[in-house]
Structures are given as structure tokens and as C-alpha cells.
Amino acid sequence: MNRSSTSHEAPWNAGRTKLPRVITWGRVLVGDVLLLLEYDDIMTNPLFEHRRSLRDLISQPGMVVAPGAYDGIGARLVAQAGFPAVYMTGAGTAMARGFPDFGLLTQTEMADNAGVMARSVDVPVIADADTGYGNELNITRTVREYESRGVAAIHIEDQVSPKRCGHLEGKEVVTRDEFVSKIRAAVEARCSNEFLIIARTDARAMLGLDEAIDRANAAIDVGADIAFVEAPQTNEEVELVPRRVRGACLLNIVGGGRTPVLDVSVAEAMGYKLAIVPGLLLSAAIEAGDAALAALKSTRVVPPVAAAVAETFRRFGADDWDALRRRFNAGAGAIDPSAPAVGVLGRAGGTA
């Protein structure tokens, strides 16, 4: 896409300037291989070509829907179901480590999990980065850690640390000036304009919708790509956000949360460009897990599964790894030579 021409771009996407090159080394995991690349090189490496599509996706008519996942399994399920992007839920990431969504995980834990998900799929991964994990210096490092792992976008919020889920009581927010300063630092820290900065404000709960929208606009003014007003509480409030924010807007659709809109088509008609559904797979996994465990406990019979073990592994790149095994003759006799090798090693695209 030619960035010098804005004839087919929305106003929020126009006029982006090229950032100066930052000579910094980053760690990038590809399968089990650790690569050391300059951050500038990461943007042009073909292994991360998928990340370039997110800005283009948002620029197209309609709305991008990114279901939430919290590990490589969920990320692959989302991609194989045909969704154009995956959202790394912070709540799910915390719960997968045995904690509630109370801001208890570190930057390293969150960025590492985002990296696992980004390397597992060929669609963009949008990740929760909580409050940025400190001041502007910490946020600079946060952006570079996520960006070096192949993540396509992060959102940074204005809650006081330790934060909590945006749909709970008891939240606190920092001043507007501090929030805007952190977003500005995040924008300046990225090494490519293809890495999107999403500015999330939780101010609606404490300070009202007007203040939340003012914060969102202030963040857009300093370079944020997308505004994320968390937890509007009525249909009217949900509709007002994209009308009053001077940029692309994200809607967080949480079943059982404070925001009443659950229909993505309704959100799209309101003018949102991105919808995340953080709890979709998390809730499904908990409910299915409870049911399976209850059935085993009551019947003492292991329930049948729909797919054989080998077929399940194929969804996670087994054919590619078997092809590599055959290439080097490592246990080649145990592999069915008729099984075709598919895709890029260890990654999943948008189809099963």
C-alpha cells in the first residue's frame, strides 16, 4: 500500500510520518529457534509479513472482529475459524497462570505470551499491555518487547497500577496529562508505523463519558491509531463513542460485562472499526471443562472425542514438522510418507 497517497485511507490513517530508525536488538522466537534481529529488521522480515495487514484491515470498509485467546491453542482456533485477527486477552492470560485479572502479571509474562500467540498464526495478534508497566521509560521498553515478538498492536490504559478488569468496580485512573504522555511515549517508541498503538481509557466509570471521550481524543491527537473507551454502560453511550472520537474506535464486547451491545453487526453499524471478544474461548473452555469433568466423575467413562490424536496434531503443524523430520531422516521410518506437508513451519493461517 502506498503510504504517500491517502485517497483510499480514512482520515485517522492519513499523514503518518516515517519514524527514525532505532538501532536496537530484539529477541524473536520462531518455533523453537531464537533469532536476534535489529528491531528495524523485524518489520521487513518475511516471517512477520502478516503483521503488516492490520493497519490495512482497519482501513478497509467494515469492522474487524478479533476473538480473544490466551495461548497458542486458542490463537490457532481463531485463525483456523477464518477470523482476520486474534486478540490476546489479559484476563485469560492471567487466569491461565492461576490469577484473577487484577494486574498481577509482569510485562515479561504478558509479552512472552503474546509472542507465543503471534508465532503460532499468520493473522495479526492484538495484545493487552495493561498500563504499560510503569512510566514513559517502561512504556518504551514495553512497546519494543511486544513489537519484537511479532505482535501487530497493543493497547495501553489509564488505570492506576495494579489495574483490574475494566468491567469491575473499584477502578482508579491516572490524570489525563499522564495518560496522554504515556501514549505519546508509546507512539514514539515503536519502530514501524505498522505496529498500532491503541489508547484505552477506563475513565467512564469514575469520571463520566465526556471525560473518557476527551481522553480518547487527546490520545488520538498525539498519535494513537485507535481509541478504546472501555465499558460504556448504555446503548446510547456505545453509539456516541465513534461519533465523537476523532479516529478509529474499538469496542470491547464482554458477555456479562457492563456494555450491553453483544451483536457485532450492531457495533459495525455504529461505526466501530475493531471489536474484540476477549472472553469467548475462555468462557467456552471453562464451561466445556466443567461439563467434561462432571461427566467423567459421574460416569467414570472417558467421553469419546471427534478427532484422532494425529488429526489434532495436524492442526498444530505436525505435517510440517514431519516433513522436516523426513528431510533429516530423524525417525523417518515412523512417518507416513503419503502425508503432505502444508504451510509455513509451525504456523496456522486463516483456514483449518
Side-chain angles (χ1 to χ4, degrees):
M1 185 173 186
N2 184 0
R3 296 290 173 202
S4 65
S5 171
T6 59
S7 60
H8 298 293
E9 294 180 344
W12 68 272
N13 197 33
R16 298 293 184 191
T17 58
K18 180 175 175 59
L19 295 176
R21 187 168 185 259
V22 179
I23 307 300
T24 311
W25 289 93
R27 300 176 302 123
V28 178
L29 281 171
V30 181
D32 294 322
V33 179
L34 178 65
L35 303 179
L36 292 178
L37 302 173
E38 288 184 12
Y39 281 112
D40 187 64
D41 292 339
I42 290 170
M43 310 314 149
T44 57
N45 191 293
L47 291 169
F48 299 103
E49 187 72 22
H50 65 284
R51 73 135 43 140
R52 295 181 174 181
S53 66
L54 183 59
R55 185 181 292 279
D56 292 336
L57 283 171
I58 300 297
S59 299
Q60 301 304 312
M63 183 181 74
V64 173
V65 178
Y70 48 90
D71 60 13
I73 297 175
R76 283 188 179 246
L77 292 180
V78 171
Q80 291 170 358
F83 287 93
V86 180
Y87 173 65
M88 187 198 86
T89 160
T93 300
M95 293 169 69
R97 284 148 185 79
F99 297 109
D101 187 17
F102 286 178
L104 299 174
L105 298 194
T106 65
Q107 175 212 76
T108 302
E109 289 174 299
M110 293 286 284
D112 282 349
N113 193 51
V116 168
M117 292 173 59
R119 81 184 186 202
S120 299
V121 295
D122 280 331
V123 297
V125 172
I126 303 154
D128 189 345
D130 294 325
T131 62
Y133 311 103
N135 63 18
E136 289 83 351
L137 299 182
N138 303 103
I139 283 176
T140 297
R141 184 187 170 201
T142 294
V143 168
R144 293 179 179 177
E145 292 294 336
Y146 278 84
E147 191 172 12
S148 72
R149 286 162 170 79
V151 176
I154 58 172
H155 64 72
I156 295 173
E157 65 200 63
D158 59 357
Q159 282 199 54
V160 171
S161 183
K163 53 75 59 84
R164 55 173 50 211
C165 171
H167 292 258
L168 295 178
E169 296 284 358
K171 298 187 295 182
E172 299 177 80
V173 293
V174 302
T175 66
R176 189 195 303 182
D177 287 346
E178 181 177 342
F179 173 54
V180 172
S181 180
K182 289 181 175 181
I183 296 300
R184 180 184 173 192
V187 170
E188 293 186 5
R190 63 185 173 182
C191 297
S192 168
N193 281 337
E194 298 303 326
F195 183 79
L196 303 190
I197 303 298
I198 302 170
R200 166 177 158 174
T201 174
D202 287 68
R204 163 61 187 91
M206 295 73 66
L207 304 175
L209 185 66
D210 287 342
E211 174 62 19
I213 289 175
D214 287 345
R215 289 182 179 222
N217 280 324
I220 292 290
D221 289 344
V222 297
D225 301 287
I226 301 173
F228 175 1
V229 175
E230 173 66 305
Q233 296 182 11
T234 66
N235 286 313
E236 290 72 21
E237 288 187 355
V238 176
E239 191 170 8
L240 277 174
V241 170
R243 288 185 181 178
R244 294 177 55 188
V245 172
R246 299 187 295 269
C249 293
L250 177 156
L251 182 64
N252 186 16
I253 301 179
V254 179
R258 297 189 176 276
T259 301
V261 174
L262 298 177
D263 188 330
V264 296
S265 297
V266 171
E268 181 176 354
M270 289 177 175
Y272 285 90
K273 296 299 297 178
L274 175 62
I276 57 174
V277 193
L280 184 70
L281 292 183
L282 177 63
S283 298
I286 292 173
E287 292 171 6
D290 283 344
L293 292 167
L296 176 61
K297 188 174 183 180
S298 63
T299 67
R300 302 185 66 82
V301 175
V302 177
V305 295
V309 172
E311 184 60 32
T312 299
F313 287 166
R314 290 192 71 192
R315 296 187 67 177
F316 294 87
D319 287 343
D320 297 315
W321 289 102
D322 283 341
L324 187 64
R325 191 198 308 267
R326 286 194 297 272
R327 177 182 174 188
F328 294 105
N329 201 35
I335 305 303
D336 178 4
S338 66
V342 294
V344 179
L345 185 65
R347 302 178 71 86
T351 58

